[in-house]
Amino acid sequence: MSRAASRIDGLRLRIVLKPGLVLGPGKADLLQAIDETSSLTAATERHGMSYKRGWTLIREMNSGFAGPVIETRKGGSGGGGHAALTPLGRFVLERYRRMETDAAEAVATAVADLRRHLRKPVKKKSSAPTRRPAK
Amino acid sequence: MSRAASRIDGLRLRIVLKPGLVLGPGKADLLQAIDETSSLTAATERHGMSYKRGWTLIREMNSGFAGPVIETRKGGSGGGGHAALTPLGRFVLERYRRMETDAAEAVATAVADLRRHLRKPVKKKSSAPTRRPAK
């Protein structure tokens, strides 16, 4: 899934669960990519994130939630590490995606209202209006 | 109103209305502070924002929406400038606040679910458990 996974109709939702633990599209996309690739390296690469940044996000979650959100094992068959969501990690990801969907539905009318008041893009004149020549 | 105006139960909502125009808590809080102080300077100071940053946010809105969101007049009675929301600016602020309220309501259950899985703060032992002395 692309980086746009967390951008439902332009919505970006962040929840401060407690001081020092914010859950937003970056962490959700990272968890989802780990689930899909079984690799923290591949997951961070998918989102153009450094491995170090990925670990920082994971560490924030691991220390903020009651337990770790991913489990890692060194030396998979490909030589690299193997990563997988724990049941808690899956729960966090699912709840976040549900919140996105529910919030997007709740704000859809207001977003449409606001978009009706955007500046119209300037149209290039594709053909200059021509004066009908006098007969 | 405090900086916390846009942080309903930890919710931070951003909407990408179109490329280059994101509406989030920073712009909403700025519009609200202008409405309450009638001054861009006072509004930016309230939110610990530079005047230049405030103007950047206003300019983004003025050029992204169909018209300006604030109107300014030089030389108020106090010598400084006077700023006020236009009807469009008020509309943008009101729609954003409504979105926050609606989104917060929509995600409340999931947020509570997630908060039940946070690590419990380490309690300091206020009194060490004492062993009941043998009679």
Side-chain angles (χ1 to χ4, degrees):
Chain A
M1 198 172 286
S2 77
R3 188 175 184 118
S6 280
R7 314 281 185 279
I8 297 179
D9 192 30
L11 181 97
R12 290 187 199 164
L13 185 69
R14 281 186 175 77
I15 308 282
V16 185
L17 290 171
K18 63 177 175 180
L21 182 61
V22 180
L23 186 60
K27 290 199 180 87
D29 286 354
L30 181 63
L31 287 178
Q32 184 168 336
I34 290 169
D35 191 40
E36 290 171 5
T37 64
S38 303
S39 156
L40 180 55
T41 305
T44 54
E45 280 171 0
R46 173 183 292 189
H47 293 295
M49 188 187 287
S50 71
Y51 185 83
K52 189 183 166 188
R53 171 76 183 149
W55 251 122
T56 299
L57 297 183
I58 294 296
R59 216 168 29 222
E60 277 176 31
M61 289 187 276
N62 282 352
S63 61
F65 284 107
V69 292
I70 70 166
E71 50 193 4
T72 54
R73 209 173 54 221
K74 280 198 176 175
S77 62
H82 177 91
L85 300 191
T86 61
L88 178 58
R90 189 167 305 282
F91 169 84
V92 170
L93 176 58
E94 282 172 0
R95 279 298 184 288
Y96 181 79
R97 293 298 184 214
R98 187 182 305 174
M99 288 197 297
E100 277 189 317
T101 308
D102 291 348
E105 196 179 309
V107 305
T109 304
V111 171
D113 283 351
L114 286 166
R115 287 198 171 129
R116 269 193 292 277
H117 289 81
L118 297 176
R119 187 177 299 278
K120 301 281 184 296
V122 178
K123 284 179 190 163
K124 283 182 188 170
K125 288 180 183 174
S126 56
S127 59
T130 50
R131 208 177 270 257
R132 186 187 294 260
K135 282 196 179 173
Chain B
M1 198 172 286
S2 78
R3 188 177 185 117
S6 281
R7 313 281 185 279
I8 297 178
D9 193 31
L11 181 96
R12 291 187 199 164
L13 184 70
R14 283 188 173 74
I15 308 283
V16 185
L17 290 170
K18 63 177 175 180
L21 183 61
V22 180
L23 187 59
K27 290 198 179 87
D29 286 352
L30 180 63
L31 288 177
Q32 184 168 336
I34 290 168
D35 191 40
E36 290 171 4
T37 64
S38 302
S39 156
L40 179 56
T41 306
T44 54
E45 281 171 0
R46 173 183 293 190
H47 293 294
M49 188 187 287
S50 71
Y51 185 84
K52 189 182 168 190
R53 172 76 182 148
W55 251 122
T56 300
L57 296 183
I58 294 295
R59 216 168 30 223
E60 276 176 33
M61 289 188 274
N62 282 353
S63 62
F65 285 107
V69 293
I70 70 167
E71 50 193 5
T72 54
R73 210 172 53 223
K74 280 197 177 176
S77 61
H82 177 92
L85 300 190
T86 61
L88 178 59
R90 189 167 304 283
F91 169 84
V92 170
L93 176 59
E94 282 172 359
R95 279 298 185 286
Y96 181 79
R97 293 297 185 214
R98 188 181 305 174
M99 289 197 297
E100 276 189 317
T101 308
D102 291 349
E105 196 179 310
V107 305
T109 304
V111 171
D113 283 350
L114 286 166
R115 287 198 171 130
R116 268 193 292 277
H117 289 81
L118 296 177
R119 187 177 298 277
K120 300 282 183 296
V122 179
K123 283 179 191 162
K124 285 184 189 171
K125 289 180 182 172
S126 55
S127 58
T130 50
R131 210 179 267 257
R132 187 186 294 259
K135 281 194 182 174

